């Protein structure tokens, strides 16, 4: 009798195990956690974890389990990790995605599996347009928008000619396209460099100097941006040709760039000093926990967690109600650190973009400050290519 009871108990425990595993909301997070770009992925993970801590690591009354996967900054690896998260780990949401080429490679597996994929950074023009999907949302921007703000600023500054430099991958092409979309002057040169292994920009800088532009625009995220700006200054070009950038100067690069970052304008949809309560809470919490300032990558990851949480709360944890969760996400009804925003038909934000500049901080370091609003309620220029209507 005792053996029968023990056997029955074991069967009940075994049968209950899958059900218990289903109790947690499962989120996959794909980013770069190794190599030179690991600082970006780590900052995003830290912010995502902070957001979870703030809500008691529960969403819609259910515990949250996050699986972090390293894409190694390679599209094929990112797709493999996305496949694993969806097919083996059976996640309910997948998020992260720093790089446009990684996101583009990973989109179809998520869409085919009808799993929500939330970009916390990359914003390829293809997904804003013909590849838009009811299973995809961005909590950042479309890749052209930040450089469009810089293009407008170049016009305001009376810059008559510009030389453009960016890495040769999807985001680099989108960024250059964004500058050219709004800039009214003459583009006297356009160079695309190898990505991600090229860190010597001497040949491109020589071409830029020979073109004698009024200004130079560059896009290089992560460590490549530090290398580019350092070499730009070493070549004596910073005083001769004013530099305008996108995604080069942020909280991760500032401690390395220091005064090299001064007098180099940039733009973003989020700046650390934005005066809203959600942002104040985020910045204070991040500084207290991690002892340094958050980057815009961190801000977007923090938003991604709260965005997902708002969808799950709307269905009281019933993840089978995907249509209802999608409807909630389209409302963007959560406390975003950028302030309130709307979604377009392609599930990319319609939002403000701000000019930002590096300044010396009271503690002897450097920080970023908002200079002006560059674009107000700005919608990406690919939304009319998206067939979704809602």
């Amino acid at each position: 009798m005792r053996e029968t009871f023990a056997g029955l108990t074991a069967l009940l425990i075994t049968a209950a195990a899958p059900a218990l595993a289903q109790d947690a909301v499962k989120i996959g997070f794909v980013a770069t956690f190794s190599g030179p770009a690991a600082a970006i992925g780590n900052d995003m993970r830290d912010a995502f974890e902070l957001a979870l801590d703030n809500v008691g690591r529960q969403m819609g009354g259910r515990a949250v389990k996050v699986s972090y996967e390293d894409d190694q900054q390679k599209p094929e690896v990112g797709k493999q990790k996305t496949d694993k998260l969806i097919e083996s780990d059976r996640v309910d949401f997948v998020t992260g995605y720093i790089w446009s080429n990684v996101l583009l490679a990973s989109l179809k597996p998520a869409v085919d599996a009808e799993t929500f994929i939330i970009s916390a950074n990359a914003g390829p023009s293809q997904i804003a347009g013909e590849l838009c999907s009811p299973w995809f949302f961005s909590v950042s921007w479309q890749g052209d928008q930040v450089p469009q703000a810089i293009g407008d600023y170049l016009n305001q500054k009376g810059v008559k000619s510009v030389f453009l430099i960016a890495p040769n991958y999807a985001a680099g092409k989108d960024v250059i396209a964004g500058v050219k979309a709004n800039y009214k002057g003459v583009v006297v040169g356009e160079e695309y460099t190898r990505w991600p292994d090229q860190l010597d920009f001497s040949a491109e800088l020589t071409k830029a100097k020979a073109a004698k532009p009024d200004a130079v625009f560059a896009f290089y995220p992560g460590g490549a941006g530090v290398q580019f700006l350092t070499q730009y200054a070493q070549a004596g070009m910073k005083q001769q040709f004013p530099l305008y950038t996108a995604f080069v100067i942020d909280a991760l690069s500032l401690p390395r760039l220091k005064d090299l970052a001064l007098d180099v304008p940039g733009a973003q949809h989020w700046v650390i000093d934005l005066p809203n309560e959600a942002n104040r809470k985020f910045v204070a919490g991040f500084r207290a926990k991690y002892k340094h300032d958050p980057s815009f990558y961190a801000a977007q990851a923090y938003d991604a967690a709260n965005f997902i949480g708002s969808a799950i709360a709307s269905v009281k944890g019933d993840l089978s109600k995907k249509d209802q969760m999608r409807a909630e996400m389209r409302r963007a009804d959560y406390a975003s650190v950028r302030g309130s925003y709307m979604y377009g038909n392609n599930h990319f934000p319609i939002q403000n973009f701000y000019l930002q500049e590096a300044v010396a901080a009271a503690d002897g370091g450097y920080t970023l400050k908002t200079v002006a609003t560059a674009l107000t309620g700005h919608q990406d220029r690919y939304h009319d290519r998206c067939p979704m209507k809602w």
Side-chain angles (χ1 to χ4, degrees):
M1 184 69 178
R2 184 176 299 170
E3 291 177 358
T4 301
F5 179 76
L8 179 60
T9 301
L11 284 171
L12 289 172
I13 292 172
T14 302
L20 289 172
Q22 294 296 319
D23 285 345
V25 174
K26 290 182 285 187
I27 300 173
F29 196 109
V30 179
T32 306
F33 299 113
S34 60
I40 298 174
N42 291 336
D43 217 41
M44 293 174 73
R45 177 170 53 193
D46 287 348
F48 203 82
E49 288 291 303
L50 175 64
L52 293 179
D53 288 345
N54 287 346
V55 294
R57 307 190 74 83
Q58 289 193 344
M59 294 178 177
R62 299 172 63 169
V64 178
K65 177 184 178 183
V66 185
S67 299
Y68 293 97
E69 295 289 348
D70 181 9
D71 61 27
Q72 301 173 35
Q73 208 171 344
K74 299 175 181 177
E76 66 276 13
V77 175
K79 181 185 181 300
Q80 291 169 6
K81 296 302 178 71
T82 301
D83 286 339
K84 171 189 174 292
L85 289 166
I86 292 170
E87 296 171 7
S88 300
D89 298 352
R90 296 186 172 276
V91 296
D92 303 296
F93 295 82
V94 61
T95 188
Y97 299 103
I98 300 170
W99 316 107
S100 290
N101 51 357
V102 174
L103 177 58
L104 284 167
S106 304
L107 178 68
K108 190 175 186 298
V111 171
D112 287 349
E114 298 188 347
T115 299
F116 286 114
I117 179 168
I118 314 298
S119 176
N121 190 65
S125 57
Q126 297 93 327
I127 301 179
E130 61 273 11
L131 294 182
C132 68
S133 169
W135 301 101
F136 173 88
F137 284 84
S138 164
V139 293
S140 54
W141 26 254
Q142 192 282 314
D144 293 27
Q145 291 182 290
V146 168
Q148 281 183 269
I150 295 296
D152 270 4
Y153 189 52
L154 288 167
N155 297 332
Q156 294 169 25
K157 297 292 286 184
V159 175
K160 298 292 192 296
S161 63
V162 67
F163 194 98
L164 309 174
I165 308 177
N168 189 17
Y169 79 113
K173 294 173 183 177
D174 278 352
V175 166
I176 295 300
V179 175
K180 291 163 71 174
N182 285 41
Y183 178 56
K184 306 302 183 186
V186 178
V187 175
V188 295
E190 190 171 332
E191 287 291 318
Y192 294 91
T193 59
R194 291 194 321 275
W195 180 259
D197 61 317
Q198 182 175 338
L199 295 176
D200 180 359
F201 305 106
S202 55
E204 290 74 25
L205 293 176
T206 298
K207 290 180 182 179
K209 187 181 293 187
K212 298 181 179 179
D214 283 353
V216 174
F217 170 86
F219 157 62
Y220 283 102
V226 174
Q227 290 295 321
F228 180 87
L229 190 46
T230 300
Q231 291 170 34
Y232 195 84
Q234 289 173 344
M237 294 180 65
K238 191 177 178 187
Q239 292 74 29
Q240 191 175 0
F241 307 103
L243 180 64
Y244 298 79
T245 64
F247 308 106
V248 172
I249 300 170
D250 56 45
L252 297 175
S253 62
L254 266 177
R256 297 171 63 185
L257 290 170
K258 300 179 180 177
D259 61 349
L260 289 178
L262 300 177
D263 303 316
V264 180
Q268 254 306 340
H269 73 301
W270 173 86
V271 191
I272 196 168
D273 61 355
L274 289 182
N276 66 73
E277 188 55 39
N279 191 47
R280 292 189 188 98
K281 177 181 178 181
F282 162 60
V283 172
F286 194 96
R287 283 171 170 165
K289 186 170 184 179
Y290 303 114
K291 312 306 178 188
H292 62 88
D293 284 350
S295 66
F296 71 88
Y297 299 104
Q300 292 162 179
Y302 185 86
D303 267 3
N306 290 318
F307 178 70
I308 292 169
S310 70
I312 296 171
S314 73
V315 295
K316 297 180 172 57
D318 184 354
L319 300 180
S320 68
K321 296 180 178 178
K322 293 187 176 183
D323 289 344
Q324 189 173 329
M325 286 195 290
R326 182 183 300 107
E328 180 65 20
M329 287 189 280
R330 284 172 169 169
R331 294 176 60 222
D333 187 20
Y334 71 104
S336 171
V337 296
R338 84 201 75 185
S340 61
Y341 68 94
M342 299 170 56
Y343 272 110
N345 64 300
N346 58 358
H347 293 172
F348 276 81
I350 301 171
Q351 60 190 337
N352 293 349
F353 288 85
Y354 306 95
L355 292 173
Q356 61 180 32
E357 287 188 357
V359 295
D363 62 1
Y366 297 85
T367 189
L368 291 165
K369 73 170 184 177
T370 304
V371 176
T373 301
L375 299 172
T376 302
H378 191 261
Q379 186 169 21
D380 70 273
R381 63 199 187 99
Y382 300 98
H383 68 94
D384 57 355
R385 302 182 191 179
C386 170
M388 284 197 300
K389 309 292 182 185
W390 51 276

